[in-house]
Amino acid sequence: MVNWKKSLKAKTPEEGYRLAIALAQESIKQIQPNEKIREKIRPKYSTNANTVIAASKVIATHFQTVAAANDYWLYHKHGHRSSVRLNM
Amino acid sequence: MVNWKKSLKAKTPEEGYRLAIALAQESIKQIQPNEKIREKIRPKYSTNANTVIAASKVIATHFQTVAAANDYWLYHKHGHRSSVRLNM
Amino acid sequence: MVNWKKSLKAKTPEEGYRLAIALAQESIKQIQPNEKIREKIRPKYSTNANTVIAASKVIATHFQTVAAANDYWLYHKHGHRSSVRLNM
Amino acid sequence: MVNWKKSLKAKTPEEGYRLAIALAQESIKQIQPNEKIREKIRPKYSTNANTVIAASKVIATHFQTVAAANDYWLYHKHGHRSSVRLNM
Amino acid sequence: MVNWKKSLKAKTPEEGYRLAIALAQESIKQIQPNEKIREKIRPKYSTNANTVIAASKVIATHFQTVAAANDYWLYHKHGHRSSVRLNM
Amino acid sequence: MVNWKKSLKAKTPEEGYRLAIALAQESIKQIQPNEKIREKIRPKYSTNANTVIAASKVIATHFQTVAAANDYWLYHKHGHRSSVRLNM
């Protein structure tokens, strides 16, 4: 499900968020390669509060990684940070 | 619920905190797109101590991301850090 | 409970720790706005070992954010880091 | 399972993700060196939703480490960051 | 239990580790100020494998904070990093 | 079990990983100093899938700290980063 492009680049936080979800799903796929079993356990993901929250925690961790990879979307198109760190 | 603006910018920690909550809610929406089922599992979010704490952990993780994206609200309006890192 | 000042600044680690606790409590308030229900689930927070530890994990995560926001209290009053990073 | 090369370098996010999975598996091997017992507990990894998600959380944490070790794959082949941090 | 000195400084990783444990204990004290109840729930901390591991996770998070606050003990006594970051 | 050397330095990721495991074990020792009780709860560490995964999560967190302390093993022997961050 992850489109393994060469980078973790995402144009917007929304795109980054989708990538985080895909990264979370990827590990489930890797741990349980059998699609039929995955389909069988999926209902639990989406109907049990604790499981949903645990899954959303994994997404939050991946979103942290993706956000860092994109410098938190702070840069302008030209590759400069919008706020200057050092004035020398 | 997340207003997918182009950035993760928040003017204040309070605004950032609200964004963190919205980011947490977003993943629940993505995992369980069916609103009726979401409404059914929601009571558990808010009445079970362990579930509330687990949810608040997800918010804490997103708040970490949002706080980093806003340089922890250390900058003045003019885009300079209030404390100088390097004097050269 | 969080005094939403304009920043996450805390003068000392102790003050920062209190802010971390307040940030953790804030999310519980947001998830369960009904004070009566909060009061009802509170005993579980404080008498069940696993729940206490889960709550302390949320505090630890927020303390990480607050500590980073305050540059880990490494700076002197005058805004300089006590240890020099670069000698140029 | 981890190929303990001298670094955590991975050429692409995909390779980095595989390394993260290997790092997660490594600790299971270290905690439970007996292969027979590992094989016995493995089914639980892959068929129980909560366990799968917990395992995917460990992978997400290691992926964070590997991504940081590779500067989030932001560099060009020549070792320069694609976006300039400082213009002096 | 935390000696709220003015900083999170620790001379060695060992001292830092002790501080991390103290920070974890502090939150338990804050969540459950009643010492008698704390004493009652303490046995669970130390005899149940899952609870011990959950507690050790909190310590690991605080150790991360303390280690960062001490620049991972990379500096020499004179306040210089042992490895040079920039040669200009 | 942790050899409290003066630093968190590890020559290789493999050595760093071992240190991460030692750091995780250290907290278990601190929480439960009684060796007999530790021996009694140890089987649960290694035979229950959820407990093994929870323990591996603690290791992953410590590995993050150790990896950061070693600049992710990016430096050459001479203390320079293999990729240049700034060209001035």
Side-chain angles (χ1 to χ4, degrees):
Chain A
M1 240 164 270
V2 179
N3 174 13
W4 285 115
K5 332 168 215 185
K6 292 215 170 138
S7 75
L8 292 176
K9 277 282 172 203
K11 274 181 208 145
T12 58
E14 189 176 9
E15 198 184 304
Y17 202 89
R18 278 198 300 265
L19 179 53
I21 291 171
L23 285 163
Q25 291 171 323
E26 182 68 21
S27 60
I28 288 159
K29 224 169 158 178
Q30 299 265 359
I31 296 164
Q32 181 47 267
N34 188 318
E35 208 193 314
K36 282 188 186 166
I37 300 176
R38 278 209 309 276
E39 268 166 39
K40 216 173 123 194
I41 64 175
R42 192 164 304 164
K44 215 184 169 187
Y45 280 88
S46 50
T47 57
N48 179 288
N50 286 322
T51 315
V52 166
I53 291 170
S56 79
K57 180 71 185 64
V58 181
I59 293 169
T61 301
H62 280 304
F63 186 60
Q64 231 172 19
T65 309
V66 173
N70 289 279
D71 271 314
Y72 305 94
W73 297 277
L74 293 169
Y75 286 87
H76 289 304
K77 287 176 191 165
H78 310 291
H80 300 294
R81 236 187 171 192
S82 50
S83 64
V84 180
R85 286 234 147 171
L86 293 179
N87 285 348
M88 293 163 94
Chain B
M1 239 166 269
V2 178
N3 174 13
W4 286 115
K5 333 167 215 188
K6 292 215 171 139
S7 74
L8 292 176
K9 277 283 172 202
K11 274 180 208 147
T12 59
E14 189 176 9
E15 198 184 305
Y17 201 89
R18 278 198 299 266
L19 178 53
I21 291 171
L23 286 162
Q25 290 172 323
E26 182 67 20
S27 59
I28 288 160
K29 224 168 157 178
Q30 299 264 358
I31 295 164
Q32 181 46 269
N34 188 318
E35 209 193 313
K36 282 188 186 166
I37 299 176
R38 278 209 310 275
E39 268 166 39
K40 216 173 124 194
I41 65 176
R42 190 163 306 163
K44 214 185 170 187
Y45 280 87
S46 49
T47 57
N48 180 288
N50 287 322
T51 314
V52 166
I53 290 170
S56 80
K57 181 71 186 62
V58 181
I59 293 170
T61 302
H62 280 304
F63 186 60
Q64 231 171 21
T65 309
V66 173
N70 289 279
D71 271 314
Y72 305 95
W73 297 277
L74 295 169
Y75 286 87
H76 289 303
K77 287 177 192 164
H78 311 291
H80 300 294
R81 235 183 172 196
S82 50
S83 64
V84 180
R85 285 234 146 169
L86 294 178
N87 285 348
M88 293 163 95
Chain C
M1 239 166 269
V2 179
N3 174 13
W4 285 116
K5 333 168 215 186
K6 292 213 172 140
S7 75
L8 291 177
K9 277 282 171 204
K11 274 180 207 147
T12 59
E14 189 176 9
E15 198 184 305
Y17 201 88
R18 278 199 299 266
L19 179 53
I21 291 171
L23 285 163
Q25 291 172 322
E26 182 68 20
S27 60
I28 288 159
K29 223 168 157 179
Q30 299 265 358
I31 295 165
Q32 181 45 270
N34 188 318
E35 209 193 314
K36 282 187 185 166
I37 298 175
R38 279 209 308 277
E39 268 165 39
K40 217 173 124 194
I41 63 176
R42 190 162 306 163
K44 215 185 169 187
Y45 280 86
S46 49
T47 56
N48 180 288
N50 287 321
T51 314
V52 165
I53 290 169
S56 79
K57 180 72 186 61
V58 181
I59 293 169
T61 302
H62 280 304
F63 187 60
Q64 232 172 19
T65 309
V66 172
N70 289 279
D71 270 314
Y72 305 93
W73 297 278
L74 294 169
Y75 286 87
H76 288 304
K77 286 177 192 166
H78 311 292
H80 300 294
R81 240 190 166 187
S82 50
S83 63
V84 181
R85 286 232 148 171
L86 294 178
N87 286 347
M88 294 162 94
Chain D
M1 240 164 267
V2 179
N3 174 14
W4 286 115
K5 333 168 215 187
K6 292 216 171 139
S7 75
L8 292 176
K9 277 283 171 203
K11 273 180 209 146
T12 58
E14 189 176 10
E15 198 184 305
Y17 201 89
R18 277 199 300 266
L19 178 53
I21 291 170
L23 285 162
Q25 290 171 323
E26 182 68 21
S27 58
I28 288 159
K29 223 169 158 178
Q30 298 266 357
I31 296 165
Q32 180 47 268
N34 189 318
E35 208 193 314
K36 282 188 186 167
I37 299 176
R38 278 209 310 276
E39 267 167 39
K40 216 173 124 194
I41 64 175
R42 191 164 304 165
K44 215 186 169 186
Y45 279 88
S46 50
T47 57
N48 179 287
N50 287 320
T51 314
V52 166
I53 291 170
S56 79
K57 180 71 185 63
V58 180
I59 293 168
T61 301
H62 280 304
F63 186 60
Q64 231 172 19
T65 308
V66 173
N70 289 280
D71 271 313
Y72 305 94
W73 297 277
L74 294 169
Y75 286 86
H76 287 305
K77 286 177 191 165
H78 309 292
H80 300 293
R81 235 188 172 190
S82 50
S83 63
V84 180
R85 285 232 147 172
L86 294 177
N87 285 348
M88 295 163 93
Chain E
M1 239 165 270
V2 179
N3 175 13
W4 284 116
K5 332 168 216 185
K6 292 214 171 138
S7 75
L8 292 176
K9 278 280 171 205
K11 274 179 208 146
T12 58
E14 189 176 10
E15 197 185 305
Y17 201 88
R18 278 199 300 265
L19 178 53
I21 291 171
L23 285 163
Q25 291 171 322
E26 182 67 21
S27 59
I28 287 159
K29 223 170 158 179
Q30 298 265 358
I31 295 165
Q32 181 46 270
N34 188 318
E35 209 193 314
K36 283 188 185 166
I37 298 175
R38 278 210 308 276
E39 268 166 39
K40 216 173 123 193
I41 64 177
R42 191 163 304 163
K44 215 184 168 188
Y45 280 87
S46 50
T47 57
N48 179 289
N50 287 320
T51 314
V52 165
I53 290 169
S56 80
K57 180 72 185 63
V58 181
I59 293 168
T61 302
H62 281 304
F63 187 60
Q64 231 172 18
T65 309
V66 172
N70 289 280
D71 271 313
Y72 305 94
W73 297 277
L74 295 169
Y75 286 87
H76 287 304
K77 286 178 192 166
H78 310 292
H80 300 293
R81 235 185 171 194
S82 50
S83 63
V84 180
R85 286 232 146 171
L86 294 178
N87 285 348
M88 295 161 93
Chain F
M1 239 164 270
V2 179
N3 175 13
W4 286 115
K5 333 168 215 187
K6 292 215 170 139
S7 75
L8 293 176
K9 278 280 172 207
K11 273 179 209 147
T12 59
E14 189 176 9
E15 197 184 306
Y17 201 88
R18 278 199 299 266
L19 178 53
I21 291 170
L23 285 163
Q25 290 171 322
E26 181 68 21
S27 59
I28 287 159
K29 223 168 158 179
Q30 299 265 358
I31 295 164
Q32 180 46 270
N34 188 318
E35 208 193 313
K36 283 188 186 167
I37 299 176
R38 278 209 310 276
E39 268 167 40
K40 215 173 124 195
I41 65 176
R42 191 163 303 164
K44 214 183 169 187
Y45 280 87
S46 50
T47 57
N48 178 288
N50 287 320
T51 313
V52 166
I53 291 170
S56 79
K57 179 73 184 64
V58 180
I59 293 168
T61 302
H62 281 304
F63 186 60
Q64 233 173 17
T65 309
V66 173
N70 289 280
D71 272 313
Y72 305 95
W73 297 276
L74 295 169
Y75 287 86
H76 287 305
K77 285 177 192 165
H78 310 292
H80 300 293
R81 233 183 173 195
S82 49
S83 63
V84 180
R85 285 233 147 170
L86 294 178
N87 285 348
M88 294 162 94

